Amino acid sequence: MNDLSKKYYKIKEVSEIVGVPQTTLRFWEKEFDEIQPRRSEHNQRYFTPEDIETIRIIKFLIKDKGMKIGSVKEYLKHNKKNISRRLEIVDKLTRVREDLRGMLHSLNLRAKVLGIESEDK
């Protein structure tokens, strides 16, 4: 998860952090009672880090797991803590995979410089 050090985030920031269009965030806000950003007097949305975590969970369940909105609503009622831990593990494993890919790329470049044939292309 990104370092969410601010108290509130605007919808554009949340969209960039989570990787979901702003229109999707607005739709999910209407669909899920768990997402309730604060509103300014000019109706600007302000999301908390907790809101963002909930949105990340919803995105994971819908986009990655292929669940329907109704199923996600039920799942959140009964398993939010469990899915939050699972999502944290998936994020860590994704970072490890990206680190390993970077190392492999570096090793392949080094092998090329040394004139060694790489087995993994």
Side-chain angles (χ1 to χ4, degrees), residues 6-44:
K6 293 176 17 180
K7 191 172 181 176
Y8 295 105
Y9 295 82
K10 293 181 179 180
I11 193 167
K12 181 178 181 190
E13 295 172 299
V14 175
S15 174
E16 292 169 358
I17 291 168
V18 180
V20 174
Q22 293 179 36
T23 54
T24 300
L25 293 174
R26 288 184 198 98
F27 174 74
W28 286 352
E29 181 186 342
K30 292 175 187 167
E31 289 293 319
F32 295 98
D33 294 336
E34 293 85 358
I35 304 173
Q36 298 202 358
R38 293 180 184 258
R39 301 278 185 144
S40 71
E41 57 189 46
H42 301 292
N43 211 26
Q44 174 76 45

Side-chain angles (χ1 to χ4, degrees), residues 102-116 118:
M103 286 182 220
L104 180 60
H105 180 71
S106 295
L107 287 171
N108 285 335
L109 289 175
R110 184 72 178 143
K112 190 174 184 179
V113 167
L114 296 173
I116 303 169
S118 173

Side-chain angles (χ1 to χ4, degrees), residues 1-4 17-18 52-53 55-57 59-60 64 83-99:
M1 184 169 166
N2 295 2
D3 178 32
L4 301 176
I17 291 168
V18 180
I52 295 171
E53 177 64 15
I55 292 166
R56 291 180 72 243
I57 291 169
K59 177 190 175 201
F60 175 73
D64 297 341
I83 192 65
S84 185
R85 275 188 254 125
R86 188 180 299 172
L87 182 58
E88 189 176 316
I89 291 167
V90 168
D91 285 346
K92 286 180 183 178
L93 289 173
T94 300
R95 285 192 301 272
V96 167
R97 181 178 59 204
E98 293 306 314
D99 288 348

